[in-house]
Amino acid sequence: MIYRITNVKIALDADVRATAARMLKLAQSDILDVHIRKKSVDARDKADVHFVISMDVETKRRVPFGQLVEAEEFAPIEKVALRARPVVVGLGPAGLFAALTLAEAGACPIVVERGRRVEDRKRDVSAFWAGGDLDETSNVQFGEGGAGAFSDGKLTTGIKSEHIGRVLRTLHECGAPEDILYMAKPHIGTDKLTVVVRNIRERILSLGGEIFFEHCLTGLKSENGSLTGVVVKNACGEEKEIPASAVILAVGHSARDTFEMLMKTGVRLEPKPFSIGARIEHKQTLIDRSQYGQFAGHPALGAAEYKLSARLPDGRGIYTFCMCPGGRVIAAASEKGGVVVNGMSEHARAAENANSALLVDVRVEDFGADDPLAGVRFARAWEQRAFGIGGYRAPAQLVGDFLKNKASSGAGSVKPSYQPGVTWMNLSECLPDFAVQGIRGGIEVFDRRLRGFAQKDAVLTGVETRSSSPVRIPRGESCEASLSGLFPCGEGAGYAGGITSAAVDGIRCALALMEKEKK
């Protein structure tokens, strides 16, 4: 028998099995297994930080109370016969799960990825961070695993979908820690994501999928408004056409050349609001104390995180994004001559600093033009301005100096983690005025909510422009674009905002494609 117990308050050091036995009035020997379904930290009262859990308890005998439940199972993907092999472009979270869904259905997808395998990509990125040249094919944005492969690996999402459980289960089966299945704020970490991504790739291949790395989409073929094939270019510059009547386009938010190609091909695009800002970096111990009080440093809690947002006087939003506890700020450029920052953490979240994006809304009217790629040009201009100051040594400033509009000359107690290094300056030189004013106002507001946020020697490093796509590829209820047979998917198409939502959208688009392409 399996009984479900929900919303149980439990001390940080408490034994879950003993708690389950007490709740069901059983001896611990009567408990066969305890499966935690949800676990969160309640830190509203800093004098009483504790966990809140829900769990399924398997027992040897029936008890006269409690909710009896069945073991949860996921139905397998239904096998289908399609008119032709589908093509998936891109192997970020959306592309990986689209390709896996198609492969599990027996559709033997053909996958093309402009970058390299995740293990090769990791070496390329490390070389760039150490001061080497930027590889425009293999970097934080491009390659197997997508931008999410170099992040905190957060799996939280605001969407509701029946596919979320399938995504989490698959990630766990492919090497992610078990706690992603029940933590209220699950994360994987960059170090473990490399293994997970590789294992998903191997599963796709074992099911009949075919993957071509270092193959960039350069064109689409169509007749009478319907897709007939794609044109791809390999690492040697050789182009070839792959016949296809159905393509899932999961290219990510940084595939700017692909957006240009789509416009020339006649695929409808729209400009979309996005965000701009910088990374703010504090000592992790400061964040722990602010969030957990006397319980800071407790091994059961790990590194504390935060999520903050506010509305500015001009109506824009200011918010933190992709907060990385015990992490580092990273160089995330994908185009030569531009600086882009992001953040990442390993699973242990054990680094000295915490960092988060501090972002201000960018409206379509800020672009200065109304064509679909105006937002791309807007973001690129600020990335190039940042590069012009110190090359790939990102512009940085102490928070106290930023609030006073005064250039910084060096670090205080918080040492910037960004590699290949920073250039101390006045960050207002490489951000639009509305973002500068918004970040200043936001820091002051957030300091009232999280003590120490406005610490004078906390570090701001810029610029961050890739939190979301500045372009949307409109699609109908069937998930198709204006070109029949083209299924825009994930963050790059404007339909997702993180690893989980992108993966869910990949599954959704794969199912929509199969429904259309059935024999």
Side-chain angles (χ1 to χ4, degrees):
M1 285 74 69
I2 300 175
Y3 292 92
R4 181 162 297 165
I5 307 173
T6 60
N7 297 319
V8 179
K9 176 180 175 180
I10 184 169
L12 299 180
D13 296 319
D15 182 272
V16 174
R17 192 181 189 91
T19 300
R22 186 178 69 253
M23 297 286 293
L24 294 175
K25 299 182 180 179
L26 294 171
Q28 288 194 46
S29 58
D30 288 327
I31 304 293
L32 295 175
D33 194 16
V34 176
H35 174 66
I36 298 176
R37 294 187 55 84
K38 188 173 181 181
K39 183 177 182 180
S40 60
V41 177
D42 187 340
R44 290 172 295 178
D45 180 356
K46 299 298 185 288
D48 181 27
V49 177
H50 58 271
F51 293 122
V52 176
I53 66 172
S54 296
M55 53 187 164
D56 286 351
V57 185
E58 186 176 0
T59 66
K60 290 181 180 179
R61 58 188 179 86
R62 186 179 295 274
V63 296
F65 53 89
Q67 180 186 359
L68 197 61
V69 296
E70 297 290 333
E72 188 175 57
E73 295 183 0
F74 288 92
I77 298 294
E78 181 182 352
K79 297 291 184 181
V80 297
L82 304 185
R83 290 178 288 176
R85 292 179 72 182
V87 173
V88 177
V89 182
L91 265 183
L96 280 167
F97 276 84
L100 180 59
T101 302
L102 292 168
E104 288 176 338
C108 300
I110 298 169
V111 185
V112 294
E113 164 56 51
R114 72 191 300 161
R116 300 191 180 110
R117 293 172 179 81
V118 68
E119 54 267 39
D120 299 328
R121 181 184 176 204
K122 187 176 180 180
R123 288 192 292 269
D124 297 334
V125 168
S126 296
F128 173 53
W129 291 346
D133 292 335
L134 172 67
D135 188 328
E136 291 184 299
T137 296
S138 182
N139 48 64
V140 167
Q141 308 297 342
F142 296 146
E144 187 181 31
F150 293 90
S151 70
D152 182 50
K154 278 184 174 49
L155 302 175
T156 49
T157 179
I159 67 169
K160 303 292 183 183
S161 172
E162 60 184 321
H163 302 310
I164 292 175
R166 184 179 298 278
V167 170
L168 296 178
R169 184 194 62 173
T170 300
L171 292 171
H172 171 53
E173 290 173 350
C174 290
E178 185 180 11
D179 62 12
I180 69 166
L181 300 175
Y182 58 80
M183 289 300 296
K185 297 179 180 179
H187 82 286
I188 301 178
T190 291
D191 51 333
K192 294 186 180 294
L193 271 166
T194 302
V195 176
V196 172
V197 168
R198 186 182 67 232
N199 288 339
I200 295 177
R201 177 223 304 164
E202 294 301 326
R203 183 177 288 193
I204 293 167
L205 293 172
S206 72
L207 293 169
E210 196 172 4
I211 301 175
F212 295 93
F213 290 102
E214 296 186 70
H215 279 65
C216 183
L217 177 70
T218 58
L220 301 176
K221 296 292 185 179
S222 63
E223 291 181 8
N224 302 319
S226 294
L227 190 71
T228 60
V230 296
V231 180
V232 297
K233 181 187 293 185
N234 65 19
C236 298
E238 301 165 338
E239 284 194 334
K240 67 176 180 179
E241 183 177 339
I242 302 173
S245 59
V247 172
I248 291 179
L249 189 69
V251 295
H253 54 46
S254 294
R256 294 166 171 176
D257 53 351
T258 305
F259 297 147
E260 292 174 3
M261 179 275 290
L262 293 173
M263 272 198 68
K264 292 176 182 176
T265 307
V267 175
R268 185 182 166 207
L269 306 179
E270 295 176 347
K272 174 182 152 299
F274 65 109
S275 302
I276 192 169
R279 282 267 148 186
I280 187 166
E281 202 164 10
H282 302 87
K283 287 283 187 68
Q284 181 62 50
T285 51
L286 180 146
I287 305 300
D288 292 344
R289 288 194 302 271
S290 181
Q291 296 293 70
Y292 295 148
Q294 64 182 344
F295 293 92
H298 193 289
L301 289 171
E305 52 189 306
Y306 59 81
K307 185 177 182 180
L308 303 165
S309 65
R311 186 64 56 186
L312 297 165
D314 65 356
R316 295 182 193 267
I318 171 79
Y319 63 101
T320 62
F321 176 77
C322 188
M323 190 267 164
C324 297
R328 57 185 289 197
V329 179
I330 62 172
S334 60
E335 296 178 339
K336 290 185 183 296
V339 166
V340 180
V341 299
N342 206 333
M344 79 173 202
S345 302
E346 295 192 343
H347 180 70
R349 291 176 164 177
E352 183 177 10
N353 291 353
N355 75 82
S356 175
L358 190 53
L359 302 175
V360 177
D361 295 343
V362 179
R363 300 165 175 166
V364 172
E365 54 264 34
D366 295 321
F367 300 166
D370 58 2
D371 73 271
L373 299 185
V376 170
R377 293 194 298 274
F378 180 90
R380 180 183 285 140
W382 293 106
E383 293 166 10
Q384 291 176 344
R385 185 176 296 197
F387 180 85
I389 292 168
Y392 291 117
R393 296 179 64 86
Q397 188 175 17
L398 302 183
V399 164
D401 292 338
F402 180 78
L403 295 176
K404 295 177 181 178
N405 195 26
K406 182 181 73 172
S408 296
S409 57
S413 66
V414 181
K415 307 302 180 186
S417 59
Y418 177 95
Q419 293 297 326
V422 301
T423 300
W424 295 103
M425 57 161 300
N426 190 334
L427 204 58
S428 63
E429 296 177 24
C430 53
L431 287 171
D433 288 343
F434 69 80
V436 173
Q437 297 306 318
I439 293 172
R440 284 180 180 145
I443 288 172
E444 294 174 349
V445 170
F446 295 158
D447 188 59
R448 293 195 288 271
R449 302 180 190 172
L450 195 158
R451 185 176 299 176
F453 194 83
Q455 178 185 347
K456 292 181 179 179
D457 62 352
V459 176
L460 288 166
T461 309
V463 296
E464 179 143 349
T465 55
R466 309 285 183 94
S467 61
S468 64
S469 177
V471 175
R472 177 176 286 110
I473 308 174
R475 67 188 191 193
E477 291 186 6
S478 66
C479 294
E480 287 181 279
S482 57
L483 177 63
S484 178
L486 184 67
F487 294 79
C489 182
E491 288 201 34
Y495 294 97
I499 292 173
T500 302
S501 61
V504 165
D505 202 51
I507 295 173
R508 181 185 177 196
C509 287
L511 295 175
L513 180 153
M514 290 189 288
E515 184 62 31
K516 181 191 175 188
E517 293 291 302
K518 285 180 182 178
K519 286 183 179 179

